[in-house]
Structures are given as structure tokens and as C-alpha cells.
Amino acid sequence: MENLKVTVFQAYLFWENIEKNLLNLALRLSMGVREKTDIIILPEMFNTGFSMNSEALAEEMDGKTMQWMQKMAHQYNCVITGSIIIKENNQYFNRLIWMEPDGKNQHYDKRHLFGMGDEDQHFSPGKEKLIVELKGWKIRLAICYDLRFPVWLRNVDQEYDILLLVANWPDKRSAHWKALIPARAIENQSYVIAVNRVGHDGNQIYHSGLSMCLDPYGNTVYYKPEDEDLYTFSINFEELVKIRRQFPFLKDADRFTIVK
């Protein structure tokens, strides 16, 4: 199994301005991606900010942002992932796109909609989890509020090696963010890569970033508060195997069924 080279983009987002966000993200990537990477991770709703204006901002699956993601994935010869607002069958989804260099893509629709922000009034929840594979790594995809629901994210039978979460997580609840991410890493014996945004959104809610990668033991591989950051690091598969061998407690986990 090869090590995985990961590029995270803790970005400032322009409120409800798809064109400006795509131009800015492309510019920053062109200036900041200096080495070969396997994956570029963008925040939740990276082209709009966390907006409930779904009817005005939603795109189809062949829309401008999907075309942009396909272009970026091809240009950098890597996977690019992040969530956008998608309209499908007269429903709106907060959809995490997994775009491969050849244009093939998969997606995960956010299951847990943030009721305190009225997300459940404007979007439909997803029902299916998604585990993708990259260079032999099994990666579970999740979005922001999902972080609070450990049953949904439970690593059953070591079905994944990385929990990848994109977010628009506000600074005023940063203590929860900093507590829950290590918990998810340790209890699931997986790497957790969590990518947040920075700056104020259109509702004057401040986001302090705090994007991070933790190893399965809870140790920090990457951590960045406050500032916009585009950074590439590697994660080690042998470290994952070592920790699971030393502490093989996943085999003792309780069995359960999630009612959809």
C-alpha cells in the first residue's frame, strides 16, 4: 500500500458568488500546488458558502461547477472533492462530489441536515453512505454536521481507512470541532481529514478554519487555525496498520443496524 499525498485548501469563500469562488480557487491552486498530489480537498459548499438560497444557487450534475471540477482534476491529475448545491428530481442536496482525473465521479449527499440553520427546510437528506478507494486506501465521505453522529460514521469491520469531512463549521462551536475530530479518529482507528473554511460568511458568522488531519492514535499530522491555507502532506499506511495491530479493539465493537 502506498502512502497518500493530500492537499487541503482551507479557503476563504465569497458569499453566494459561484463565478468569483471558482476563479479565486483556480488561481490559488495554480499558485500553490507545487508538487504532485493524489487529492485536493475543498470545504463544504466551496462555490457559494453555506447558503440556504438553494433555488437560486443550485446547479445540475452537468453544470458549471461540475465542469470546473472535472477540469481541475484533469489539470492536476488527481481527485478533487468538495460539496456543492445540486438540484436533482426537483430536490436540493448538499452533495459532496468525488471527481476523478478522467471525469468519472461519485457523490455523497449529506445525511444530517443542520436544523439550527434551517438546512432541513431547504435540502433533502441523503440516505446512503459512500466509501471510495484511492491508491488502495478506503475513504469514507462525510459533511460537517455528520461529525456529531458517531453511529453514522462508525467504522464497521474496518471498512474504511480515512474519514474525510468537509465543513463550514463556525468558530463559536470550535471547542466541539476540536473534541469530536480526535474522538472519531480514535474510536474508528482511522485517519481523519477535516477541511473547514475561514472568514465571515454572508450571515456574519465567523469561521476560524482549524482544518486538521489526525492519525488513528489521535496524533496531529496537520493543523491550521485562522488563516487561509493551501497545504500538502503525506499520510502513512504502515502507521495505520501498526496502530490497528497494537490495539485491535474494532473487532469487539457492537453490532447494530441503522434505520434509514
Side-chain angles (χ1 to χ4, degrees):
M1 183 75 71
E2 298 179 66
N3 291 346
L4 197 67
K5 189 161 286 188
V6 178
T7 299
V8 298
F9 192 178
Q10 177 170 280
Y12 176 84
L13 304 179
F14 297 94
W15 185 247
E16 297 184 347
N17 193 328
I18 294 174
E19 190 73 31
K20 192 170 184 178
N21 279 312
L22 297 184
L23 286 171
N24 181 63
L25 291 167
L27 177 62
R28 290 299 311 278
L29 289 173
S30 70
M31 296 170 59
V33 178
R34 299 299 187 188
E35 57 186 303
K36 179 67 176 74
T37 186
D38 296 309
I39 182 172
I40 296 170
I41 308 172
L42 307 175
E44 177 185 22
M45 293 193 187
F46 67 84
N47 63 341
T48 60
F50 188 64
S51 171
M52 298 301 102
N53 194 6
S54 54
E55 291 188 22
L57 297 172
E59 299 182 28
E60 305 284 343
M61 283 296 284
D62 59 353
K64 177 188 299 185
T65 302
M66 287 292 288
Q67 293 176 32
W68 180 90
M69 293 184 77
Q70 185 174 351
K71 179 182 177 181
M72 292 296 106
H74 177 74
Q75 179 176 332
Y76 294 100
N77 191 29
C78 70
V79 169
I80 187 164
T81 189
S83 93
I84 60 177
I85 302 171
I86 289 290
K87 182 180 181 180
E88 189 172 79
N89 299 324
N90 293 316
Q91 293 180 294
Y92 299 95
F93 298 95
N94 184 348
R95 179 166 290 180
L96 180 52
I97 306 296
W98 179 267
M99 180 67 72
E100 299 178 18
D102 61 3
K104 293 179 182 178
N105 62 83
Q106 300 180 69
H107 65 262
Y108 162 73
D109 293 329
K110 188 177 184 181
R111 176 173 172 87
H112 299 94
L113 302 177
F114 186 54
M116 287 176 59
D118 291 333
E119 190 179 13
D120 57 336
Q121 303 300 311
H122 299 274
F123 293 87
S124 297
K127 296 181 179 180
E128 303 295 335
K129 66 182 180 182
L130 178 63
I131 297 173
V132 296
E133 190 167 314
L134 182 60
K135 295 179 72 173
W137 293 77
K138 293 170 290 182
I139 304 172
R140 174 74 186 270
L141 303 184
I143 304 176
C144 203
Y145 194 43
D146 286 331
L147 181 63
R148 292 187 179 272
F149 301 93
V151 174
W152 177 242
L153 299 178
R154 175 60 78 186
N155 193 2
V156 179
D157 296 327
Q158 295 186 20
E159 63 185 355
Y160 67 82
D161 307 309
I162 301 169
L163 174 60
L164 188 159
L165 181 102
V166 302
N168 268 228
W169 196 285
D171 176 69
K172 59 187 175 183
R173 287 186 290 278
S174 61
H176 301 184
W177 172 266
K178 289 185 283 187
L180 293 172
I181 292 172
R184 298 296 89 85
I186 294 166
E187 72 193 5
N188 292 302
Q189 287 196 314
S190 74
Y191 284 92
V192 175
I193 304 172
V195 179
N196 197 18
R197 64 157 294 176
V198 291
H200 289 88
D201 66 16
N203 296 313
Q204 292 306 303
I205 296 173
Y206 179 65
H207 303 77
S208 55
L210 306 169
S211 297
M212 66 181 82
C213 174
L214 301 185
D215 74 13
Y217 204 69
N219 297 316
T220 301
V221 177
Y222 165 79
Y223 176 72
K224 184 66 176 180
E226 301 297 340
D227 300 320
E228 189 173 63
D229 194 39
L230 178 62
Y231 189 77
T232 300
F233 56 88
S234 292
I235 56 175
N236 187 288
F237 191 78
E238 286 304 315
E239 187 66 21
L240 172 70
V241 172
K242 177 183 174 182
I243 291 170
R244 286 177 173 175
R245 185 187 301 121
Q246 289 177 336
F247 305 99
F249 59 75
L250 284 182
K251 67 181 178 61
D252 299 321
D254 298 304
R255 296 289 168 177
F256 62 90
T257 300
I258 294 177
V259 179
K260 297 179 180 179

